[in-house]
Amino acid sequence: MIEILPPEASLPTLYMRRSDHLAEETRYVARPGIRAVPAGSATVLTFILLQGWTLTILLWAIWWPYPQSRSDWLFSLGVTGVLFALVVLVAWLLIRRYPGFLTAVMRAPFIQLTVTDRRILWTLPWMRLPLMEICRDRVMGGVLGQVDAKGFGNAALILVPDDPSADVDGNIHFDRLPNAEAFVAALRY
């Protein structure tokens, strides 16, 4: 007989079907924090800051010396409005084209990765349901990459062939994961 049991108190409120009454055992919990931000984000931020610096110089050139006549005021306001419109247009196009990237970068420092004996969860403290959940029957194991002296390292979650959550190689990769060795060990049955 299959029953629906309430989950462990610290995990999201999803109900799992179990034929036994065993509690879900948490094997690994990680909150990578700022290290979870994708590696290319610093480069993107650098280019954004350089564009901001360029816009600041352009605005300084437009408004210096201070406009004295009505035509100077109209010119300065008009060019400032055009620059503002261009910045908003480019930002809108980028956000519209790549909304997931911005959302992922903003959420990354707050994500908690939990490995239990039944599933793997990606959760946020302000959301009731997990961002993503993978049942253990879809997991084949894990691979450990380079680990630094503090235990932060790269790891990969190996999923069954043709899993929809996997990348081209059939994995989900983690960069700068805290205690990466414990993560890979928790993936073993």
Side-chain angles (χ1 to χ4, degrees):
M1 181 173 149
I2 297 176
E3 292 182 59
I4 298 176
L5 296 176
E8 186 178 324
S10 64
L11 296 176
T13 56
L14 292 179
Y15 295 95
M16 303 199 57
R17 296 177 185 195
R18 298 287 297 177
S19 60
D20 56 4
H21 294 286
L22 297 175
E24 190 170 7
E25 176 188 339
T26 301
R27 296 184 178 175
Y28 176 81
V29 177
R31 293 177 189 91
I34 198 73
R35 289 179 180 246
V37 174
S41 300
T43 305
V44 171
L45 182 62
T46 301
F47 282 107
I48 289 171
L49 291 175
L50 287 173
Q51 295 301 314
W53 176 251
T54 303
L55 284 171
T56 303
I57 291 173
L58 284 172
L59 287 173
W60 174 78
I62 291 168
W63 288 94
W64 186 84
Y66 190 76
Q68 301 295 322
S69 67
R70 182 183 172 118
S71 62
D72 289 345
W73 271 101
L74 290 174
F75 174 79
S76 296
L77 289 172
V79 174
T80 301
V82 168
L83 279 176
F84 180 75
L86 288 173
V87 168
V88 168
L89 176 68
V90 169
W92 179 72
L93 287 173
L94 289 174
I95 290 171
R96 186 171 163 231
R97 176 84 172 144
Y98 305 105
F101 177 75
L102 182 62
T103 304
V105 170
M106 301 284 284
R107 286 180 174 172
F110 305 104
I111 290 177
Q112 174 179 312
L113 176 64
T114 305
V115 178
T116 71
D117 59 340
R118 298 179 192 161
R119 57 192 174 151
I120 299 157
L121 298 157
W122 287 260
T123 57
L124 287 169
W126 60 82
M127 291 180 68
R128 186 175 154 263
L129 298 175
L131 290 173
M132 189 163 112
E133 176 180 358
I134 296 178
C135 293
R136 288 301 292 247
D137 58 351
R138 293 170 49 193
V139 176
M140 293 178 58
V143 176
L144 183 64
Q146 290 183 330
V147 179
D148 66 9
K150 294 181 180 179
F152 288 90
N154 302 330
L157 173 66
I158 303 171
L159 300 174
V160 296
D162 300 324
D163 190 278
S165 299
D167 64 2
V168 175
D169 300 325
N171 304 324
I172 296 176
H173 298 274
F174 300 93
D175 296 328
R176 300 179 303 270
L177 193 63
N179 200 359
E181 292 175 7
F183 171 72
V184 173
L187 295 175
R188 295 187 191 112
Y189 287 95

